[in-house]
Amino acid sequence: AQSVTQLGSHVSVSEGALVLLRCNYSSSVPPYLFWYVQYPNQGLQLLLKYTSAATLVKGINDFEAEFKKSETSFHLTKPSAHMSDAAEYFCAVSRTSNFGNEKLTFGTGTRLTIIP
Amino acid sequence: NAGVTQTPKFRVLKTGQSMTLLCAQDMNHEYMYWYRQDPGMGLRLIHYSVGEGTTAKGEVPDGYNVSRLKKQNFLLGLESAAPSQTSVYFCALRGGRPPYGYTFGSGTRLTVV
């Protein structure tokens, strides 16, 4: 079975500071990994996804994530936080099941608060 | 979100009532999913469909039924609503090539009293 663990349900950073949101995955086969963002009262928007072509993945709004197989991690970072980054962030993993049907499994989410 | 429409956006039900949530797409994707989102639990898969006429159970299927009679529509039914089904429900589509892109609807907020 596949799963993801997001460390820290709430993270607060000052405006302009580094954002680091942690995600560790578990998968018996090489995974596909995703980060999604959810702004209040909205659906989920894809930030970035791991394609296996490169371990450092760049996404929208200056977010990036690094795939580290040895640590089974896919942490999300942004060099300088903006007030508009306040949202909930979800890490997700998928793989092909025995029947070739892919399912997306989410972590429990991290709510990011930006301090002015 | 473009291409995925969920109706209704909000609904309040009394315990024991039934209702159907509709997910409609114009993206011609085969795979469709229903998730529920609850505080502190992320999104959990209820049911999914890999094509017209097919459905399968996800992680938390109890109390729900689904149908995919037409490729563009995926319906989620609650036959006898319970307070535990109070949640935000999201429909998602999967398309493209691996690793697939998933497109999410804007959600349905359901309260069962």
Side-chain angles (χ1 to χ4, degrees):
Chain A
Q2 61 194 34
S3 65
V4 290
T5 301
Q6 291 185 242
L7 301 176
S9 58
H10 292 85
V11 171
S12 295
V13 301
S14 297
E15 189 174 15
L18 172 72
V19 175
L20 171 61
L21 304 183
R22 300 177 186 275
C23 173
N24 288 88
Y25 69 89
S26 173
S27 178
S28 57
V29 298
Y32 301 139
L33 293 160
F34 307 79
W35 275 101
Y36 284 87
V37 60
Q38 184 181 35
Y39 299 104
N41 299 315
Q42 295 188 24
L44 276 73
Q45 179 182 357
L46 180 67
L47 275 178
L48 49 81
K49 60 184 177 184
Y50 170 64
T51 65
S52 78
T55 56
L56 184 61
V57 183
K58 295 187 181 298
I60 61 173
N61 300 335
D62 294 327
F63 281 95
E64 63 181 34
E66 186 172 7
F67 173 73
K68 292 187 176 180
K69 183 178 179 180
S70 60
E71 300 177 6
T72 60
S73 68
F74 191 57
H75 302 329
L76 182 71
T77 60
K78 180 173 181 176
S80 177
H82 294 170
M83 296 300 296
S84 60
D85 294 328
E88 188 154 22
Y89 293 79
F90 293 94
C91 182
V93 63
S94 73
R95 59 179 287 271
T96 303
S97 72
N98 291 337
F99 298 98
N101 301 326
E102 187 180 285
K103 305 172 188 178
L104 196 59
T105 301
F106 287 87
T108 53
T110 297
R111 184 167 299 278
L112 177 65
T113 299
I114 309 299
I115 303 169
Chain B
N1 291 344
V4 188
T5 304
Q6 286 187 237
T7 54
K9 296 189 182 304
F10 303 93
R11 184 74 183 270
V12 178
L13 285 180
K14 294 183 178 179
T15 298
Q17 287 185 319
S18 63
M19 78 163 294
T20 300
L21 284 69
L22 170 64
C23 177
Q25 61 141 330
D26 61 4
M27 302 176 74
N28 202 36
H29 288 334
E30 294 291 341
Y31 286 56
M32 299 184 74
Y33 304 81
W34 276 108
Y35 286 89
R36 61 176 289 173
Q37 182 182 21
D38 302 290
M41 304 188 75
L43 281 81
R44 293 178 293 169
L45 183 63
I46 305 172
H47 285 281
Y48 64 101
S49 169
V50 302
E52 181 178 316
T54 72
T55 63
K57 294 181 179 180
E59 181 185 359
V60 288
D62 294 343
Y64 304 95
N65 56 75
V66 288
S67 65
R68 184 98 179 267
L69 299 180
K70 294 182 179 181
K71 184 178 182 178
Q72 63 267 36
N73 294 335
F74 194 29
L75 283 72
L76 177 70
L78 287 74
E79 291 187 347
S80 179
S84 60
Q85 294 178 303
T86 294
S87 188
V88 181
Y89 293 85
F90 286 100
C91 175
L93 316 176
R94 191 198 86 175
R97 302 175 64 85
Y100 300 99
Y102 290 78
T103 302
F104 284 81
S106 56
T108 295
R109 186 173 296 275
L110 174 66
T111 302
V112 183
V113 297

